[in-house]
Amino acid sequence: MIPILLRGLLPRVLLVALLCVAFFFLEPGFHTHEGGASEEFHLDLGYMGLAATLANLAGLSMLVLLGGFVSNDRRQGYYRLYFSHPTRPVAFYGVRWALGLLLAMAAAAVFLVLGQVVAWGRFEGGWSGLYLALLAAIAYGGMIAFLSVALARGDTWVALVLFLFNIFWLQATSLGLQPLPPLLNDLVSILLPPRLALSDVYDGLLRGEIVWGASAFAAGYGVFWLLMAGLLLRLRDWP
Amino acid sequence: MIRLEKVVKEYGGPLARLRGERVRALDGVTLQVPAGAAVGLVGPNGAGKSTLIRLLLGYLGPTRGGVQVGGMLPRDYAERRGVAYVPERVSLPPAWTVGGALHAFAALGEVDRPAERIQRVLRKLGLAEIAGRRVAALSKGNLQRLAIAQALLADRKVMVMDEGTDGLDPEWVARVREMLDEWRHADPERVLVYASHDLDEVERVADQAVVLSEGRVREVVELRGEGPGTAYRLEVEGPDSARRVADAFPGALPVPGAGHAFRVQAANPRDLTRRLGTLVQAGAVLRSVAPEAGSLRERYHQGLARRTEAASRIGDAVDAASASAAEREEGA
């Protein structure tokens, strides 16, 4: 079944490859040599600086690879034949989710190595950046899984809007802006993917340490929504 | 094998309930299908056939009442044993090929010796030559045959067909009927649920037909075991031939107002052929012979008529109540 699922994911994998190309041009660390940047600038935006881009790439890849992965089957009625066979929907979509995670991480790893080789002519390292990418993939993967089970359509777009809004939200809160009343502000921060926790993990990686609390929060966010998705998948009627 | 106990299924969420907009698709359906039976589900559009089938597959849960398949909840049964299912609207990823789809379903269905099984169903359903064709390029008939092929891939105990021969030409309808017969006889415990608008086809395939209307069971028609065998409508040429019919078919009844047509019975196709041979040898000239499709059709319309009568009785009662209320108001 996995080869068939992989074949079905091929157009999305190509989209992720395009995303990698776009991120290559957007990543400042890959272009430090072009402007004759200082050594500190290179260090700051160098191979460890890539971790933030890797996290964004992995998170977005999960949305691209898994957008509509349940809602589309429901809407198109593919599930009717799938689940008349002895297959648990939770296991079926669980495998698809895991494949998405593997592909997103593979894309991040390829980006890390190939990007450095193309930009700097050599691979300097930065594998620990994949740790941040994994946390981001789990967090965004959990969110898209829940949205795809809960919504009949448009889950990919909702997830993309949340992804972008989250960037704005993090900037606003880091500048001390409180666009909403305090309680609502906290609620939005909890419901949105944990960029603040990911940012703490990133800072930790720059210092050469793992911030376990922030890591657990980021991973827990994804696992929570993943469990909610599994529960809803079990309880909800199929149309 | 299959049990439905006072099953009610309503569509619409809590908001629809508050607004009183919930739609009742099934209304107190009780049904038992023993092992080895073939049950036809018939009824007009919106009668609740497809809802009942989705309940049997566990895609929907009942609002009230209980559904069991093989002693389990339907979803549990499907997840453990699988159900050979041919849906009304066959929907598959368009990029899949015919062969690829069967490989996928063989993997999902944990089929033993998948390559061998796939080849067998491809040949059986006439799909071998288009095994590499994409689902998007299939005609409705070919898509339907693919759905039947995937249903026949594994050895299941329960088969559910929802308008399963829709889109097939008459030759393939007949072939599928033979396949269903073969499937049933391969294991006497197997159960077939066959929903269709085609009453004649249901009569040929099923042992029993359940007439559904507005979510209720209106009639249960026994299609086998009534009388000495299957009924046929036999028409012969001229009065001389007509006089000889009773010799070959004792108990033959003339069909009123239909010339030299008779309602005859035969135990099985072999018995029918033998009796027809006797009739021809006696010098009779045949015009036509066909299975009599009247019994289910008649009972179907009776069932629906009962519903209409009941509705009109309710309507009359409401009218009468309104009239008397109006009189009371006038009096006051």
Side-chain angles (χ1 to χ4, degrees):
Chain A
M1 191 67 202
I2 287 172
I4 293 162
L5 291 178
L6 279 174
R7 219 172 300 145
L9 280 171
L10 198 62
R12 290 167 186 250
V13 171
L14 293 176
L15 213 60
V16 169
L18 283 176
L19 212 58
C20 287
V21 173
F23 269 78
F24 177 82
F25 289 110
L26 290 172
E27 167 53 44
F30 283 152
H31 309 289
T32 50
H33 62 289
E34 292 164 3
S38 67
E39 186 62 20
E40 296 93 280
F41 188 67
H42 178 78
L43 273 179
D44 192 30
L45 292 175
Y47 67 87
M48 269 320 298
L50 289 178
T53 301
L54 285 181
N56 280 328
L57 174 65
L60 261 185
S61 298
M62 286 300 271
L63 304 192
V64 169
L65 291 165
L66 296 172
F69 81 123
V70 179
S71 62
N72 193 45
D73 284 2
R74 290 177 77 93
R75 206 171 51 250
Q76 301 290 347
Y78 300 154
Y79 74 88
R80 289 191 198 109
L81 290 184
Y82 294 164
F83 305 131
S84 63
H85 294 276
T87 303
R88 289 176 193 279
V90 169
F92 179 77
Y93 291 115
V95 169
R96 277 170 74 166
W97 191 88
L99 273 179
L101 184 69
L102 279 176
L103 289 171
M105 290 310 295
V110 169
F111 179 81
L112 179 73
V113 176
L114 215 61
Q116 291 185 44
V117 171
V118 172
W120 304 333
R122 64 186 186 281
F123 176 64
E124 291 193 12
W127 290 114
S128 53
L130 288 179
Y131 175 69
L132 190 67
L134 178 66
L135 291 177
I138 292 171
Y140 282 101
M143 181 184 77
I144 187 68
F146 179 76
L147 289 173
S148 197
V149 176
L151 301 178
R153 60 181 70 233
D155 51 312
T156 315
W157 295 111
V158 172
L160 274 172
V161 166
L162 288 176
F163 183 91
L164 295 171
F165 178 71
N166 207 9
I167 297 170
F168 156 77
W169 190 258
L170 186 69
Q171 294 294 331
T173 47
S174 65
L175 290 171
L177 297 174
Q178 295 257 327
L180 299 168
L183 196 67
L184 217 55
N185 238 34
D186 292 347
L187 189 70
V188 172
S189 296
I190 287 172
L191 287 177
L192 283 175
R195 269 195 171 263
L196 208 58
L198 289 171
S199 175
D200 288 347
V201 176
Y202 172 72
D203 290 342
L205 287 176
L206 285 180
R207 293 192 304 271
E209 63 184 60
I210 288 177
V211 184
W212 290 110
S215 300
F217 185 79
Y221 176 91
V223 171
F224 171 78
W225 288 115
L226 206 55
L227 289 175
M228 288 294 109
L231 192 68
L232 196 59
L233 194 62
R234 181 77 197 166
L235 295 177
R236 240 186 126 182
D237 275 353
W238 294 85
Chain B
M1 190 67 173
I2 295 173
R3 281 177 65 130
L4 287 97
E5 195 76 38
K6 295 178 184 162
V7 172
V8 173
K9 179 64 193 174
E10 291 175 344
Y11 291 109
L15 274 177
R17 186 197 293 263
L18 280 174
R19 290 186 198 134
E21 288 172 358
R22 278 170 78 90
V23 176
R24 186 167 285 197
L26 291 178
D27 191 4
V29 171
T30 296
L31 200 64
Q32 290 208 13
V33 182
V39 172
L41 293 179
V42 293
N45 291 330
K49 303 189 292 291
S50 292
T51 298
L52 199 151
I53 280 174
R54 286 178 194 172
L55 284 166
L56 291 181
L57 286 146
Y59 293 148
L60 300 176
T63 309
R64 280 194 295 282
V67 186
Q68 283 201 329
V69 179
M72 294 177 227
L73 289 173
R75 193 64 241 146
D76 290 341
Y77 183 87
E79 285 177 6
R80 283 180 206 173
R81 310 266 162 82
V83 175
Y85 175 45
V86 183
E88 183 182 10
R89 195 168 66 90
V90 181
S91 191
L92 287 167
W96 282 14
T97 61
V98 170
L102 290 174
H103 276 284
F105 289 121
L108 282 177
E110 295 160 3
V111 173
D112 291 334
R113 293 170 282 115
E116 191 184 308
R117 289 273 184 141
I118 289 166
Q119 284 309 316
R120 199 199 304 168
V121 293
L122 279 172
R123 279 197 302 273
K124 204 170 193 169
L125 272 301
L127 297 168
E129 285 178 8
I130 56 165
R133 192 176 293 174
R134 283 177 184 269
V135 165
L138 293 181
S139 66
K140 180 157 171 50
N142 283 340
L143 193 60
Q144 201 67 27
R145 278 192 273 152
L146 174 57
I148 296 167
Q150 65 79 36
L152 294 172
L153 261 180
D155 295 321
R156 306 281 179 233
K157 287 273 187 212
V158 177
M159 181 181 283
V160 176
M161 288 187 99
D162 190 0
E163 303 289 346
T165 52
D166 199 25
L168 297 183
D169 60 44
E171 189 193 331
W172 272 105
V173 171
R175 280 204 215 176
V176 169
R177 196 186 310 135
E178 278 169 25
M179 284 175 213
L180 292 180
D181 207 38
E182 198 181 294
W183 180 84
R184 286 186 66 197
H185 285 97
D187 181 348
E189 296 281 291
R190 282 178 168 168
V191 166
L192 172 66
V193 177
Y194 189 93
S196 179
H197 286 296
D198 186 342
L199 299 182
D200 296 343
E201 199 52 31
V202 169
E203 203 159 22
R204 287 181 190 117
V205 169
D207 305 328
Q208 196 182 51
V210 176
V211 182
L212 279 170
S213 167
E214 290 174 354
R216 289 177 181 224
V217 174
R218 302 292 171 178
E219 282 272 358
V220 178
V221 184
E222 292 296 334
L223 300 171
R224 304 282 180 269
E226 278 184 350
T230 310
Y232 295 86
R233 188 182 194 277
L234 170 68
E235 196 172 356
V236 292
E237 185 76 51
D240 287 346
S241 298
R243 270 194 293 277
R244 293 181 173 94
V245 170
D247 296 336
F249 292 94
L253 295 169
V255 177
H260 305 298
F262 295 84
R263 185 176 187 273
V264 298
Q265 287 201 309
N268 50 47
R270 199 177 292 275
D271 182 39
L272 174 70
T273 311
R274 187 180 59 75
R275 288 173 191 276
L276 288 174
T278 309
L279 189 59
V280 172
Q281 275 175 359
V285 178
L286 309 184
R287 288 191 79 149
S288 69
V289 59
E292 197 179 52
S295 57
L296 176 57
R297 198 171 290 275
E298 218 166 85
R299 299 278 295 274
Y300 175 83
H301 290 297
Q302 277 171 7
L304 297 191
R306 256 199 291 283
R307 176 211 62 187
T308 316
E309 275 170 29
S312 95
R313 273 202 300 277
I314 291 165
D316 291 348
V318 170
D319 289 347
S322 310
S324 70
E327 275 171 21
R328 273 199 305 276
E329 268 180 27
E330 273 175 24

